[in-house]
Amino acid sequence: MAQVPQTFFDALAVRSWCGLALEALGRAREEIDAINVYPVADGDTGTNLYLTVESATAAVEAVFEGHQAGGDRRPTLADAVRAMAHGALIGARGNSGTILAQLLRGMAQELAGDEAPAHADGEGLRIALRHAADSARQAVAHPVEGTVLTVASAAADAAGRTEGDCGAVARAAHEGARAALAETPARLAVLKRAGVVDAGGRGLVAVLAALVETFTGEAPRGMPAVGGPWSGSVRTTGPVPHARVEEAGGLGECADGGAAPGAGPGGPAFEVIYLLEAGDAAVARLRNRLDALGDSLVVVGGDGLWNVHVHVDDAGAAVEAGVEAGRPYRIRITHFGAGDVHTTGAEPAAPGERAQRAVVAVVPGEGLAGLYAEAGATTVLARPGEPPASGELVQAVRRAHAREVVLLPNDADLRHTAAAAAEQVRAEGVRVALIPTRSAVQGIAALAVHEPERRFDEDVVSMTSAAGATRYAEVTVAERQSWTMAGICQAGDVLGLVDGDVAVIGQDLTATAEAVLDRMLAAGGELVTLVLGDGTPDSVAAHLETRVREGYLAVDTVVYHGGRQGALLLIGVE
């Protein structure tokens, strides 16, 4: 796809950069995975970087869509870079992904300040790259040279020596990063022994190449393959065995380089990652606690939200430390020896024989996750403002451990993400059917008619039909003034959306919900499903149940508690 060069760093440039970086990492992902030897040869650095940028890209796209829906022409540079940094933060995977998230956050801090310009010129980009590299180093407990941190610093140094527009600065940063990457085997013995460059640094070079293309319209030429003719580097013939990398003397190494204090001869057994809501003082204490427990400690973020990454032998202690500091969630624990990933609320992949069929569903709240799980589905939790990446859906399909899988995205915005996941697992030999459910209540209807004993095609047709026959609505609160199909709403108004469009604007939750329900039942129906969000009084459901009982004959009502699902109320009518 041809790219229109961007003269300045503005919101459109941020959008283009994210898209191009995602494409570049998609092309290089497998090769980067194959040279991943440090700090753990687990072959996932390319994948982790891809998933991190995928989350950043989705967040930027959501900002553009939100402004278009509100009647604005486009978001500001500050809007776009904040979204990019936040998306990367909540979607960061592994050590390299976490560091990349901090690099993007460092740029955002410079480009989205109180006096942020409408767009940044070459000097603004130089300053942003410098702050990015410095903030990433500060986020790492024990920085060492020969890693992605070295590559980031070299990029910032080269950019700082360059005069000119954003294109010239981006080219200089890319060339500086590429030269530093070629030197990583000379600076880190484990890379030299394996004959490879640093995988995280290689991924950053790809991201910076995308930045060059954003401003010039052309990708840098002469970019060698991952195992290509780097100075002093020869690629191994295949992925390095899945094992902890050790240096002479028997000490494990930190992901950021350097000996890890207290690490055993084989290094810690687990990688622990979680998002954390906590204050600065609590996070400072957490850093000290986790640094004593293990190695590879990286804590990034700020303003009350953090992404924590550490390698430990006692995974429970690392999580407990997070609980003491604040509220940890999206907890992921990987056992290096087994190569498996466990997510809270999810079952590990089943050993042995595969099941014949399974349902994998994205659900917006803990309550619905429990309901879907009771019905036999494998669930992926999507918290408000934190849509899952395609990699999370792929992992869920793998956990389901079935030959045939029905995938329920339960959100129109997840259609492309779910399609990408389905394509990936099909390549692994799993038969996947994607039912385009746009709401969790449509997923409930589909799951209700699911019969794993019948033929796959028949089951999919039946589930698709049930979902399609279910109208869906949600009641929520407007965050800002905007134009809607029902008129202009103000911040704080109660909105009733039917099939994705605003149909009712009101002031009272119960009255608005009743108006939405009446609109839906005007076309008929047999079953009403109500899903209450956190903070929605049970009296709302009681009022609506009475309304259905007294005003609509032969219509049943079921009520569920969805938990922290974003919307105050979800409504389904079958």
Side-chain angles (χ1 to χ4, degrees):
M1 180 176 63
Q3 294 292 322
V4 178
Q6 302 291 323
T7 305
F8 297 103
F9 202 26
D10 59 7
L12 283 176
V14 174
R15 187 185 201 182
S16 296
W17 182 29
C18 287
L20 289 168
L22 188 63
E23 291 176 8
L25 289 171
R27 291 190 297 268
R29 174 166 55 176
E30 292 184 2
E31 293 181 275
I32 295 174
D33 284 344
I35 63 167
N36 173 200
V37 302
Y38 180 77
V40 180
D42 49 359
D44 63 359
T45 291
T47 298
N48 287 337
L49 289 170
Y50 178 88
L51 294 175
T52 302
V53 173
E54 182 182 51
S55 181
T57 303
V60 172
E61 289 299 323
V63 164
F64 271 84
E65 292 171 5
H67 276 258
Q68 290 168 358
D72 298 338
R73 292 188 61 188
R74 68 179 61 163
T76 64
L77 171 62
D79 292 331
V81 294
R82 285 194 195 105
M84 173 181 69
H86 180 73
L89 177 67
I90 65 174
R93 303 299 185 88
N95 179 75
S96 295
T98 307
I99 292 175
L100 178 61
Q102 186 65 12
L103 287 167
L104 297 180
R105 177 178 170 80
M107 294 186 71
Q109 287 174 325
E110 284 296 325
L111 298 172
D114 294 336
E115 300 180 1
H119 58 256
D121 56 12
E123 181 175 356
L125 181 58
R126 284 196 298 273
I127 295 172
L129 289 169
R130 178 76 271 161
H131 187 68
D134 292 345
S135 63
R137 278 186 177 270
Q138 292 167 7
V140 173
H142 303 285
V144 203
E145 302 310 323
T147 65
V148 63
L149 296 176
T150 302
V151 176
S153 293
D157 291 343
R161 295 190 295 267
T162 303
E163 299 293 333
D165 60 12
C166 287
V169 173
R171 282 189 185 279
H174 173 257
E175 287 302 318
R178 191 164 176 257
L181 179 65
E183 294 298 321
T184 55
R187 308 191 76 165
L188 201 55
V190 64
L191 300 178
K192 184 176 182 180
R193 287 201 304 272
V196 296
V197 295
D198 179 67
R202 173 58 179 90
L204 180 58
V205 169
V207 171
L208 291 173
L211 187 63
V212 174
E213 187 173 358
T214 297
F215 293 120
T216 67
E218 296 181 357
R221 294 186 177 183
M223 188 73 180
V226 172
W230 301 100
S231 173
S233 173
V234 179
R235 181 167 180 247
T236 56
T237 56
V240 178
H242 187 93
R244 183 76 183 183
V245 175
E246 299 175 46
E247 281 294 314
L251 283 177
E253 287 190 306
C254 301
D256 33 72
F270 298 97
E271 177 185 58
V272 179
I273 304 174
Y274 50 79
L275 291 177
L276 177 70
E277 293 178 357
D280 291 358
V283 171
R285 293 191 295 271
L286 175 66
R287 288 178 191 268
N288 292 332
R289 174 89 178 272
L290 294 179
D291 196 24
L293 285 175
D295 66 23
S296 302
L297 175 60
V298 186
V299 181
V300 304
D303 302 319
L305 180 62
W306 310 81
N307 192 307
V308 179
H309 171 282
V310 68
H311 294 177
V312 293
D313 280 321
D314 190 344
V319 175
E320 289 172 7
V323 172
E324 291 178 5
R327 187 179 81 87
Y329 59 100
R330 277 201 177 186
I331 302 166
R332 294 182 179 87
I333 300 173
T334 303
H335 185 260
F336 291 126
D340 60 344
V341 178
H342 304 285
T343 306
T344 53
E347 292 296 324
E353 186 67 20
R354 287 180 178 268
Q356 182 60 34
R357 190 173 308 159
V359 176
V360 173
V362 180
V363 290
E366 293 86 350
L368 282 179
L371 174 68
Y372 272 72
E374 287 177 8
T378 298
T379 62
V380 177
L381 192 60
R383 292 182 172 85
E386 301 171 15
S390 63
E392 289 183 77
L393 302 187
V394 170
Q395 290 177 356
V397 171
R398 290 169 179 163
R399 288 201 309 274
H401 204 59
R403 298 184 183 90
E404 301 167 339
V405 172
V406 179
L407 186 56
L408 305 175
N410 291 340
D411 186 336
D413 292 336
L414 289 178
R415 180 184 58 188
H416 297 301
T417 299
E423 181 179 353
Q424 182 173 340
V425 293
R426 286 187 188 117
E428 299 174 7
V430 180
R431 190 179 184 189
V432 181
L434 172 60
I435 298 179
T437 48
R438 294 174 289 176
S439 170
V441 291
Q442 288 189 321
I444 291 173
L447 200 55
V449 300
H450 169 55
E451 292 185 14
E453 292 79 17
R454 64 184 162 198
R455 291 179 55 242
F456 185 62
D457 291 341
E458 293 177 357
D459 197 29
V460 170
V461 169
S462 178
M463 295 176 73
T464 302
S465 177
T470 302
R471 299 190 70 195
Y472 66 95
E474 68 175 79
V475 180
T476 187
V477 176
E479 295 182 356
R480 64 170 185 261
Q481 183 189 59
S482 60
W483 292 87
T484 76
M485 297 289 289
I488 300 176
C489 72
Q490 305 296 327
D493 283 349
V494 181
L495 305 181
L497 292 81
V498 178
D499 293 338
D501 293 322
V502 176
V504 179
I505 301 174
Q507 302 298 316
D508 178 73
L509 170 58
T510 302
T512 303
E514 181 178 327
V516 169
L517 184 58
D518 285 341
R519 279 180 178 247
M520 298 178 75
L521 286 173
E526 299 175 355
L527 176 66
V528 172
T529 301
L530 304 174
V531 184
L532 302 181
D534 267 356
T536 303
D538 288 340
S539 59
V540 175
H543 178 86
L544 296 180
E545 284 184 285
T546 300
R547 174 65 179 160
V548 171
R549 185 171 58 253
E550 296 178 351
Y552 302 92
L553 297 177
V555 178
D556 295 324
T557 305
V558 293
V559 180
Y560 303 109
H561 288 82
R564 189 182 174 211
Q565 62 186 25
L568 297 171
L569 176 69
L570 300 177
I571 305 174
V573 174
E574 299 176 44

